[in-house]
């Protein structure tokens, strides 16, 4: 079973449209991160949210952490072709030895058509 | 800032052969992670090191997989013998982990492995 469920799996929209993608879990997290991955490259961190109900904005991207810290959403306003990529959410969970490790959802593959 | 460097970028090998993937983390980072990415399973953590010591290897699929970090600037992931189901993109990432576990992971550009 996947710790983090992302939806939708695929999303294809026209330039200028708005969209929201989701990251859900039954577990509570101390924080959650969003990464974007472009073809042929590794994921790059966009934002970290740490407080329940927190909203962070990064230009046209708005990230929200659920009040119960089990879920998060990413909203993009007026999408542009440069927003195309795989959007991954990630959260920390217990690792061996009592430390923590970062696990990822499967991602939402976004295509913005000109 | 050179970033995380992985080699090779692409590897094509025949079933049964040994494969070695290499990673140079960002200088000064104390943690190193090996992930595998496939369409079916997404990005899976295989193993991670802290201060060159393996902390969690629970994601290593089988004994055919092994990873080493002989020093702070180099790590290898070895598959012996390789199988077609090992075909995937393998990512190395590094981070400076302290009391704040929210430090970002910095990923390399991956090694695309194809086992025929």
């Amino acid at each position: 079973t996947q710790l983090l469920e992302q939806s939708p799996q695929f999303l294809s929209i026209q330039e200028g449209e708005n969209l929201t993608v989701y990251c859900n879990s039954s577990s509570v997290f101390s924080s959650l991160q969003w990464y974007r991955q472009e073809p042929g490259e590794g994921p790059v961190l966009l934002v970290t949210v740490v407080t329940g109900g927190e909203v962070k904005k990064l230009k046209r991207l708005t990230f929200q952490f659920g009040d119960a810290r089990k879920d998060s959403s990413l909203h993009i306003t007026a999408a542009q072709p440069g927003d195309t990529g795989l959007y991954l959410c990630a959260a920390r969970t217990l690792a061996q030895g009592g430390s923590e490790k970062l696990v990822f959802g499967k991602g939402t593959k976004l295509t913005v058509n000109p | 800032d050179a970033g995380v460097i992985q080699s090779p970028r692409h590897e094509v090998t025949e079933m049964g052969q040994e494969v070695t993937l290499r990673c140079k983390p960002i200088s000064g980072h104390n943690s190193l992670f090996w992930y595998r990415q496939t369409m079916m399973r997404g990005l899976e953590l295989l193993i991670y090191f802290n201060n060159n010591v393996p902390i969690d290897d629970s994601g290593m699929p089988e004994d055919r997989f092994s990873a080493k970090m002989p020093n702070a600037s180099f790590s290898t992931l070895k598959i012996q013998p390789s199988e077609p189901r090992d075909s995937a993109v393998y990512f190395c990432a590094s981070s400076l982990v302290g009391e704040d576990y929210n430090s970002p992971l910095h990923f390399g550009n991956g090694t695309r492995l194809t086992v025929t």
Side-chain angles (χ1 to χ4, degrees), chain B residues 45-59:
Chain B
L45 178 64
L46 300 178
I47 185 171
Y48 91 87
F49 296 84
N50 186 256
N51 293 321
N52 311 340
V53 176
I55 301 300
D56 187 335
D57 64 355
S58 60

Side-chain angles (χ1 to χ4, degrees), chain B residues 62-101:
Chain B
E62 299 171 30
D63 291 345
R64 298 184 296 107
F65 286 68
S66 63
K68 293 183 179 180
M69 192 165 185
N71 56 62
S73 59
F74 184 65
S75 178
T76 60
L77 178 67
K78 185 178 293 186
I79 308 172
Q80 166 62 16
S82 58
E83 296 182 3
R85 60 189 168 130
D86 301 331
S87 297
V89 181
Y90 291 79
F91 285 100
C92 175
S94 71
S95 181
L96 181 60
V97 176
E99 292 183 1
D100 177 9
Y101 278 100

Side-chain angles (χ1 to χ4, degrees), chain A residues 33-112:
Chain A
Q33 296 182 329
W34 284 92
Y35 288 75
R36 180 168 68 202
Q37 184 180 15
E38 299 188 19
E41 299 182 6
V44 176
L45 179 70
L46 295 173
V47 77
T48 301
V49 286
V50 296
T51 305
E54 180 178 6
V55 175
K56 278 192 173 178
K57 292 194 174 184
L58 191 65
K59 296 183 180 179
R60 295 176 292 100
L61 278 59
T62 302
F63 303 84
Q64 185 162 6
F65 200 13
D67 290 340
R69 292 185 288 127
K70 292 183 178 182
D71 52 78
S72 182
S73 64
L74 159 59
H75 181 80
I76 301 179
T77 304
Q80 299 177 0
D83 296 327
T84 293
L86 179 67
Y87 289 82
L88 297 156
C89 65
R92 301 197 178 274
T93 187
L94 278 178
Q96 291 176 346
S99 62
E100 293 188 331
K101 61 184 178 183
L102 195 65
V103 295
F104 285 81
K106 287 187 178 181
T108 292
K109 188 170 184 180
L110 172 65
T111 303
V112 182

